[in-house]
Amino acid sequence: CKTRLPVGHLDSCCSVSGHTVRGTVNVTLLQHPHSSSCRSLRGSSPVIMLTVFVVVVALVSQTAARYTPDWTSLDARPLPSWYDEAKLGIFIHWGVFSVPGFGSEWFWWHWQGQQPPDQKYVNYMSQNYPPGFTYPEFARQFHAQFFNPDDWADIFKASGAKYVVLTAKHHEGFTNWESPNSWNWNSVDTGPHRDLVGDLAEAVRNRSLHYGLYNSLYEWFHPLYLIDKKNGFKTQEFVLQKLLPELYNMVVRYRPEVIWSDGDWEAPDTYWNSTEFLAWLYNDSPVKDTVVTNDRWGAGCACKHGGYYNCEDKYTPGQLPTHKWEKCTSVDTLSWGYRRNMKMNELLPLAAIIEDLVRTVAFGGNYLLNVGPTPDGMIPPLFEERLRGVGDWLEVNGQAIYSSKPWRVQSENTTVPVWYTSKGLTVYAILTAKPPMSTVKLLAPKTSSITQVFLVGNPTPLSWAPVNPGGGLVVLLPELPYTPAQAWTLGLDFVQ
């Protein structure tokens, strides 16, 4: 029962009326008709044969539902419903790059990878570190001594987010867990000497949040990757010896419900063996029923293949996409990782975050908001303030966001910018600016004699009047409560 099968298949045994049959229990039982165990069933009693027949019939129906390692099959997989219902997630970029805390998480590449090197990074190193200092030496200063996963999870819960995605490994190759394929370049062997991925997983899940992991396919300076790259990606030493074993291990060990893939663009998906990995993930992995993935699985895959689409960083479509998508963006507008020299005017204001969130949800997307912790394990107070501000707004207005669907009209700007969402029989009109008068005009909704309007957070029905017989209404607003988010939501029942 330990016979090795091709990548993408698991092997186990089950007993059927005393006869051993190869297959995968509780996933898909694949009967091998030429095995000796199957041949031994010949001449068995009718009861045993009937049992086997029932099992085989069940297997045929189950096998039909399996995904094959090609994009036609994989792209047809329905997205698990929890993801679309969640709407808001928190992204965390944390690694050795947090130690220099300068420029961005691409520090190593800008300093020593790109040609010619970025002089800004060269000067930073020459002015602050001794000659001969190497990037791996930063790992010893990645202490994470103040990292309290429960504190982080409390902040994420307070933000109103429903899922959290941590960088398990960025392009520098350093893993925030004890990867057996990244000896001495991981958070257990050096630096924090802690399983950062595992510690945060427990805290996040204890607060009923979904947990996901970011993983870079490529590594800037891994020797095997550089060999494959030199060979025009016609060899796969890095993929077979480093990337795939590490990915399988990560999934089985931590069971992430989001795999946020990145670093794919230099090589095609056939080099990364992406479709074979995803077929295993969707068919046989411990998260096969709940996991969601993005679209970064090889050059040309973005906005075309995968689970939900990222398309590009900070992707902002101008109209309603036909495929589920996600906008990832960062509180720090200049970096995903921590910067020691960030300034207030380089951070997204709360009102801008809320408007961006509302726009994204109105267009059917999810919103993944990034923060970069310090190398000692703290979420900077300004980031925490932004996250808690988002949560305060969602505590009142969340019914217009969570589990909502795009409406037939996504926006209008008659009086002030308005974004529409819907849920059940209710349409929500989210105002992302305070109207200059005590009324607001909405032209998109078509009213009837039973139409009701209310301010979310205030149960008192609002007075309204039709604009014309074909549709539209003018709503008399109460005194709008102060909110630093500068956004208010009207609920409209019985409109079209």
Side-chain angles (χ1 to χ4, degrees):
C1 293
K2 298 300 182 184
T3 302
R4 187 176 301 276
L5 293 179
V7 173
H9 298 79
L10 297 179
D11 193 31
S12 60
C13 295
C14 67
S15 179
V16 180
S17 299
H19 294 273
T20 302
V21 179
R22 281 195 179 282
T24 302
V25 183
N26 293 327
V27 179
T28 300
L29 192 58
L30 297 177
Q31 189 175 7
H32 300 276
H34 301 297
S35 68
S36 59
S37 57
C38 289
R39 289 195 297 271
S40 68
L41 291 174
R42 295 171 183 169
S44 300
S45 70
V47 173
I48 293 177
M49 292 309 296
L50 177 61
T51 302
V52 173
F53 175 78
V54 171
V55 170
V56 170
V57 170
L59 300 184
V60 170
S61 62
Q62 291 180 16
T63 301
R66 288 179 68 84
Y67 299 97
T68 53
D70 58 82
W71 288 121
T72 300
S73 176
L74 298 171
D75 289 345
R77 177 182 182 256
L79 202 66
S81 59
W82 74 261
Y83 179 76
D84 181 59
E85 295 165 359
K87 303 303 182 188
L88 176 63
I90 301 301
F91 213 180
I92 310 159
H93 275 67
W94 199 30
V96 173
F97 52 79
S98 306
V99 177
F102 180 81
S104 77
E105 67 287 347
W106 281 61
F107 183 95
W108 195 3
W109 179 259
H110 293 315
W111 175 34
Q112 294 184 317
Q114 71 177 53
Q115 296 300 323
D118 189 319
Q119 199 58 41
K120 179 175 67 174
Y121 294 83
V122 173
N123 292 341
Y124 177 83
M125 291 303 299
S126 64
Q127 294 167 9
N128 295 282
Y129 294 91
F133 188 93
T134 65
Y135 187 85
E137 291 180 80
F138 281 126
R140 302 172 192 165
Q141 301 173 31
F142 182 28
H143 299 305
Q145 68 268 36
F146 299 131
F147 172 51
N148 184 326
D150 287 314
D151 288 348
W152 283 27
D154 284 341
I155 295 171
F156 303 150
K157 182 74 173 180
S159 75
K162 301 300 183 183
Y163 61 105
V164 174
V165 179
L166 172 69
T167 46
K169 182 192 73 172
H170 202 259
H171 310 322
E172 64 189 10
F174 185 90
T175 63
N176 282 328
W177 56 287
E178 191 178 15
S179 167
N181 305 98
S182 190
W183 178 81
N184 211 36
W185 191 232
N186 66 73
S187 65
V188 176
D189 288 343
T190 189
H193 296 291
R194 289 180 65 173
D195 180 0
L196 304 179
V197 169
D199 289 351
L200 186 60
E202 181 179 5
V204 163
R205 287 170 173 150
N206 284 343
R207 286 152 182 82
S208 300
L209 302 178
H210 297 274
Y211 188 58
L213 294 174
Y214 166 109
N215 183 80
S216 174
L217 298 184
Y218 88 150
E219 297 178 23
W220 287 320
F221 303 109
H222 196 288
L224 293 179
Y225 180 73
L226 295 179
I227 290 173
D228 287 347
K229 186 175 181 178
K230 184 178 180 180
N231 293 334
F233 299 111
K234 291 179 172 54
T235 57
Q236 291 180 293
E237 296 304 313
F238 173 74
V239 172
L240 298 178
Q241 296 187 41
K242 174 64 161 67
L243 173 65
L244 286 180
E246 194 165 73
L247 261 178
Y248 285 111
N249 191 313
M250 185 185 80
V251 171
V252 171
R253 182 182 298 195
Y254 298 109
R255 305 193 174 200
E257 291 183 276
V258 179
I259 296 184
W260 214 100
S261 182
D262 196 18
D264 63 320
W265 52 83
E266 287 193 347
D269 62 275
T270 50
Y271 168 73
W272 304 114
N273 281 10
S274 296
T275 56
E276 293 177 355
F277 170 74
L278 290 173
W280 170 81
L281 186 71
Y282 295 165
N283 289 325
D284 299 314
S285 79
V287 289
K288 63 185 178 65
D289 296 323
T290 58
V291 70
V292 296
T293 64
N294 64 346
D295 57 354
R296 300 185 182 187
W297 295 102
C301 284
C303 237
K304 185 177 179 182
H305 295 302
Y308 61 88
Y309 293 168
N310 289 125
C311 296
E312 61 187 17
D313 289 352
K314 304 182 181 181
Y315 176 59
T316 307
Q319 59 186 10
L320 181 64
T322 58
H323 190 94
K324 182 63 187 182
W325 63 285
E326 176 189 74
K327 177 171 185 174
C328 60
T329 192
S330 185
V331 175
D332 181 353
T333 61
L334 300 183
S335 176
W336 299 90
Y338 171 69
R339 290 188 305 130
R340 290 191 282 181
N341 60 338
M342 65 181 176
K343 300 175 182 178
M344 178 76 79
N345 62 5
E346 296 166 343
L347 307 183
L348 283 175
L350 177 61
I353 293 173
I354 295 298
E355 182 174 20
D356 205 19
L357 165 65
V358 168
R359 174 193 175 104
T360 298
V361 173
F363 278 133
N366 275 26
Y367 195 68
L368 188 62
L369 183 61
N370 177 77
V371 294
T374 67
D376 49 22
M378 296 296 293
I379 295 176
L382 282 174
F383 291 171
E384 179 179 348
E385 184 267 344
R386 296 293 193 276
L387 297 187
R388 291 188 181 277
V390 172
D392 290 343
W393 186 82
L394 285 170
E395 189 172 356
V396 175
N397 299 275
Q399 64 180 274
I401 300 297
Y402 303 122
S403 300
S404 66
K405 300 293 183 183
W407 194 44
R408 62 175 178 83
V409 175
Q410 287 76 60
S411 67
E412 65 169 277
N413 195 4
T414 305
T415 306
V416 292
V418 176
W419 295 93
Y420 290 103
T421 65
S422 66
K423 186 190 298 181
L425 298 177
T426 303
V427 172
Y428 295 97
I430 306 172
L431 320 179
T432 53
K434 190 170 185 177
M437 300 182 294
S438 59
T439 60
V440 62
K441 181 184 293 186
L442 306 175
L443 296 181
K446 298 177 181 179
T447 62
S448 70
S449 59
I450 60 172
T451 294
Q452 296 182 352
V453 183
F454 60 95
L455 178 69
V456 172
N458 186 338
T460 304
L462 302 181
S463 299
W464 63 274
V467 173
N468 57 62
L473 69 162
V474 176
V475 180
L476 180 62
L477 298 172
E479 180 64 32
L480 296 177
Y482 169 76
T483 169
Q486 291 295 295
W488 299 264
T489 304
L490 297 177
L492 295 85
D493 291 331
F494 308 110
V495 298
Q496 294 181 340

